[in-house]
Amino acid sequence: MISAMKELDPTMAQREVAAIIGWTPETFSRHKKRLIAFEGFPAPLPSGLYWRASVMRWLETYGDKKAAATASALGKSIASIRVHDDRQALIAKYVGSNAA
């Protein structure tokens, strides 16, 4: 009975969203602002929960399509592109204009 109720719940907690994407909750927490701002990911409700239908629609229509297209165009893997992007963000944040 409880699992049936959960399936009918139209909202999802951050932990559940992270699991669906395949990330840890900590990784999702670090990247959610970027996902929302640049990747079209649905923003959370004021309660901090996410609309299940919106998250599932994003996964079906957008998910890794952009990353796969970029990786294919550059002849690289999706993981290597994400590592590069993360590295650039860290350099910009912590080194900034002090780079040699």
Side-chain angles (χ1 to χ4, degrees), residues 3-68:
S3 63
M5 287 174 49
K6 183 173 180 147
E7 289 179 25
L8 298 175
D9 189 359
T11 59
M12 306 168 72
Q14 182 169 306
R15 179 174 296 278
E16 189 176 357
V17 173
I20 287 176
I21 293 175
W23 290 352
T24 65
E26 294 78 17
T27 300
F28 178 70
S29 182
R30 282 194 312 270
H31 293 283
K32 71 180 174 184
K33 285 183 182 180
R34 178 185 57 80
L35 286 173
I36 292 166
F38 301 109
E39 307 292 336
F41 193 80
L45 301 168
S47 64
L49 298 174
Y50 293 82
W51 282 113
R52 183 177 304 277
S54 297
V55 171
M56 299 311 289
R57 189 175 318 117
W58 182 84
L59 283 171
E60 291 169 4
T61 59
Y62 195 71
D64 274 334
K65 289 180 183 178
K66 181 180 177 185

Side-chain angles (χ1 to χ4, degrees), residues 77-95:
S77 69
I78 294 171
S80 68
I81 291 173
R82 287 186 176 152
V83 167
H84 176 267
D85 291 348
D86 289 347
R87 181 179 294 132
Q88 294 303 318
L90 288 170
I91 288 170
K93 181 175 181 176
Y94 293 108
V95 178

